[in-house]
Amino acid sequence: MKKTVLYDHHIKLGAKMVEFAGYEMPIQYTSIKEEHHAVRKQAGVFDVSHMGEIMVIGKEATEFLNYMFSNNIAVMTAKQVQYGFLLYENGGVVDDLLVYKVNDEHYLLVVNAANIEKDYAWLESHHHDFDVSVLNQSDEYAEIALQGPLAEEILQRHTKMDLSTIKFFTFDDVMIENKTYLVSRTGYTGEDGFEIYGDHDDILFLFKTLLVEHKSLLPCGLGARDTLRFEVALPLYGHEIDQDITPLEAGLKFAVKLDKEEFIGKKALNEQKESGLKRRIVGLEILDKGIVREGAEVYYEDHKIGEVTSGYLSPSLEKAVALAMIDKPYDKLGTTVDVKVRKRLLKSKVIKKKLYNK
Amino acid sequence: MKTPKALYYTESHEWVKVEDGHAYIGITDFAQSELGEVVFVELPEEGDEVSEGNEFATIESVKAASDINAPVNGVIIAVNEALEDSPELINEDPYENWIIKIELEDESQLENLLSAEDYEKLTK
């Protein structure tokens, strides 16, 4: 199993480690709830070095990526970040990712750890008509995410650069304690914050420095990362999106530009849009006592109408909620449905998928 | 990690305490620590039968659901209803906060269970 550069430090901090996408990663240090609330109210720092970094460079990098990617690369300016998908021809999702534009001939793709090899092979198998090179640089980068309302104030103490100039979904090279990092104002928690990339030693140095110097900052594991992203309906590959779910069904059409030129998956998504969606991701509030989890079946009267994709007792809302893929027309807000948990049917109500609002 | 001497243990991290022919069943300190914060306990009903190795309750932590198995056969004579509103009691004191109390069907089944010593070795 692979280890990130922060592994020894996680152990020193008393983290509970689990296997995730081939890496040994911290699931929690003290408690998922405590780490969750730290990010909502103060700040938390996550090791996300398992994420993949794929470089696309060459004269036709923009054209190539615009053909591969669901969002519109052509409108990006340098130092912008865009969210979107690599899609299969049938509209299913290869992966969801962030694209960082360095310049017209140089992009950095940040992809899910479990999908690095698949994404790389997918890009490799399609780039021969374009003047580009695709490089998997995942092992060269380490990454941490500094998230929460105090994130900017914390990081600002370590750099002369005015961090307020890095707006949401942009990035810059930032000198922090005399080392250079790539810093974007992005994240996976629904809070303000940064994702910070650097070489292994520099990220280890920064992770340690931030934790030593900021009492209000907690190290946070994958447990809290999942509850945080879940509450604000950020999709997780393999749950709300996967090869059999399209971005339209997942309610993510903001990252799919059907009016731009040709891209893989466009035809299928146009057809799906025209014929109308048959199902979509919704939120569920569980009215009966109990917690529903991924895979639980959802019923309307006695027929099955869908499945839960993620479910928790939400730490911020302090009630059981879920995201679920539900057939139309049962997706309407306020519809009463039943979720099957073991032998019981739990009465639930369809609500907006963004479960937590500030 | 606490492992009281007078109890019986299972490899799936339940404990049994015998008092006057009745048995209290709960989960171990090791189990609650592995689960993390308990947020919900799905309890069985009084009068339900439980049987060795089979699930009788489910404990939900923030992250996941875990089945709790009966170490021995019996009939439930009481469930710890305090856990309905305060599931976190399991984390606070897993040995004080039993889950069910049963009428033992066959006391000799206790001989198949682990001693505190053996259980400690298992969780090292």
Side-chain angles (χ1 to χ4, degrees):
Chain A
M1 219 179 327
K2 285 174 131 178
K3 291 174 181 171
T4 75
V5 68
L6 304 183
Y7 177 86
D8 288 342
H9 203 62
H10 295 320
I11 300 296
K12 226 177 267 173
L13 291 169
K16 188 181 290 177
M17 306 298 285
V18 293
E19 196 258 326
F20 182 78
Y23 282 85
E24 246 183 287
M25 299 297 290
I27 180 113
Q28 64 175 65
Y29 298 83
T30 51
S31 107
I32 294 177
K33 269 196 213 170
E34 193 183 335
E35 292 161 26
H36 179 106
H37 291 310
V39 173
R40 287 270 180 263
K41 292 173 188 148
Q42 301 188 322
V45 61
F46 300 81
D47 180 7
V48 281
S49 300
H50 59 310
M51 298 292 283
E53 290 83 12
I54 296 174
M55 196 82 88
V56 175
I57 47 174
K59 282 207 162 53
E60 292 182 309
T62 303
E63 292 78 4
F64 171 63
L65 279 178
N66 219 18
Y67 173 65
M68 300 300 295
F69 194 58
S70 65
N71 212 329
N72 194 355
I73 299 281
V75 301
M76 288 179 81
T77 56
K79 296 185 175 173
Q80 265 190 345
V81 185
Q82 223 179 43
Y83 174 77
F85 310 97
L86 298 175
L87 298 173
Y88 293 108
E89 291 288 357
N90 70 3
V93 179
V94 179
D95 201 5
D96 66 332
L97 57 150
L98 293 178
V99 172
Y100 290 67
K101 177 170 183 169
V102 180
N103 61 49
D104 287 343
E105 299 182 9
H106 184 176
Y107 294 84
L108 177 69
L109 279 48
V110 180
V111 306
N112 283 305
N115 293 338
I116 297 172
E117 300 302 326
K118 181 180 75 173
D119 295 352
Y120 179 68
W122 181 251
L123 292 164
E124 264 285 302
S125 67
H126 286 88
H127 84 300
H128 301 291
D129 296 337
F130 296 89
D131 183 3
V132 288
S133 306
V134 178
L135 307 166
N136 180 1
Q137 300 199 316
S138 302
D139 290 340
E140 273 95 277
Y141 283 93
E143 184 194 350
I144 55 175
L146 175 62
Q147 301 278 298
L150 299 183
E152 182 178 305
E153 190 184 316
I154 286 170
L155 194 60
Q156 191 64 71
R157 292 255 304 273
H158 301 271
T159 179
K160 291 194 179 106
M161 182 172 169
D162 178 5
L163 292 172
S164 69
T165 63
I166 304 180
K167 306 288 184 201
F168 193 48
F169 270 71
T170 68
F171 70 97
D172 217 331
D173 292 323
V174 181
M175 193 80 130
I176 302 169
E177 306 278 353
N178 291 320
K179 300 169 200 293
T180 307
Y181 298 87
L182 191 164
V183 177
S184 60
R185 192 176 288 256
T186 51
Y188 196 45
T189 61
E191 299 298 327
D192 187 25
F194 302 97
E195 292 179 297
I196 304 168
Y197 304 81
D199 75 27
H200 290 197
D201 291 345
D202 292 351
I203 288 293
L204 176 60
F205 167 79
L206 183 58
F207 187 74
K208 282 185 182 169
T209 304
L210 290 174
L211 285 174
V212 167
E213 295 194 11
H214 300 275
K215 288 278 175 289
S216 54
L217 179 67
L218 280 194
C220 299
L222 294 182
R225 184 169 155 84
D226 201 45
T227 55
L228 287 157
R229 71 91 200 160
F230 161 76
E231 287 184 342
V232 292
L234 291 168
L236 175 60
Y237 192 86
H239 295 249
E240 287 73 35
I241 45 172
D242 68 26
Q243 58 185 17
D244 301 316
I245 301 174
T246 74
L248 303 184
E249 293 171 325
L252 300 166
K253 69 168 185 262
F254 73 91
V256 179
K257 297 295 184 292
L258 291 173
D259 51 359
K260 75 165 188 175
E261 60 211 72
E262 194 51 39
F263 63 94
I264 299 178
K266 180 181 178 183
K267 191 162 166 278
L269 292 186
N270 262 324
E271 284 166 10
Q272 188 174 50
K273 191 183 160 196
E274 272 158 37
S275 65
L277 290 179
K278 294 192 171 49
R279 56 178 194 166
R280 72 178 181 108
I281 294 280
V282 298
L284 293 180
E285 181 181 345
I286 315 308
L287 303 173
D288 284 333
K289 244 184 171 188
I291 296 164
V292 307
R293 304 289 186 179
E294 183 201 357
E297 297 177 336
V298 183
Y299 289 83
Y300 184 81
E301 290 170 354
D302 54 1
H303 53 286
K304 190 185 161 192
I305 55 158
E307 264 185 27
V308 170
T309 55
S310 299
Y312 281 107
L313 184 93
S314 152
S316 299
L317 302 169
E318 293 184 320
K319 56 186 178 189
V321 284
L323 296 171
M325 180 64 87
I326 300 284
D327 293 341
K328 285 178 171 277
Y330 310 103
D331 62 321
K332 287 203 189 78
L333 294 184
T335 307
T336 304
V337 299
D338 291 312
V339 185
K340 193 173 180 191
V341 178
R342 294 174 287 277
K343 288 166 220 154
R344 296 197 300 146
L345 287 173
L346 304 186
K347 195 170 163 205
S348 307
K349 186 175 77 176
V350 175
I351 58 173
K352 285 188 183 156
K353 74 177 173 127
K354 193 174 181 204
L355 305 163
Y356 170 78
N357 297 284
K358 292 219 122 176
Chain B
M1 220 61 77
K2 281 183 232 151
T3 313
K5 289 277 179 265
L7 309 188
Y8 299 94
Y9 296 87
T10 67
E11 286 177 12
S12 50
H13 311 290
E14 292 90 8
W15 56 259
V16 182
K17 182 165 105 184
V18 180
E19 258 179 30
D20 311 326
H22 298 147
Y24 293 89
I25 297 171
I27 67 164
T28 66
D29 196 17
F30 177 83
Q32 72 76 22
S33 149
E34 284 296 301
L35 287 172
E37 295 139 311
V38 174
V39 292
F40 181 69
V41 184
E42 191 173 307
L43 294 165
E45 304 271 339
E46 258 177 54
D48 285 357
E49 284 184 27
V50 300
S51 63
E52 184 195 341
N54 290 314
E55 165 265 316
F56 69 86
T58 306
I59 292 189
E60 300 262 8
S61 64
V62 176
K63 195 72 203 150
S66 308
D67 285 343
I68 310 305
N69 298 323
V72 289
N73 298 354
V75 175
I76 299 177
I77 50 179
V79 298
N80 185 357
E81 279 163 8
L83 298 175
E84 266 179 19
D85 292 325
S86 308
E88 68 281 0
L89 290 171
I90 298 248
N91 297 116
E92 286 164 16
D93 190 340
Y95 297 109
E96 190 60 35
N97 294 291
W98 50 276
I99 301 169
I100 54 171
K101 180 181 179 186
I102 64 167
E103 185 90 58
L104 279 171
E105 180 188 295
D106 176 6
E107 281 201 34
S108 74
Q109 277 188 324
L110 294 168
E111 292 161 22
N112 305 331
L113 301 176
L114 301 173
S115 67
E117 235 175 22
D118 290 342
Y119 181 71
E120 262 180 355
K121 274 182 211 152
L122 184 79
T123 52
K124 247 171 207 157

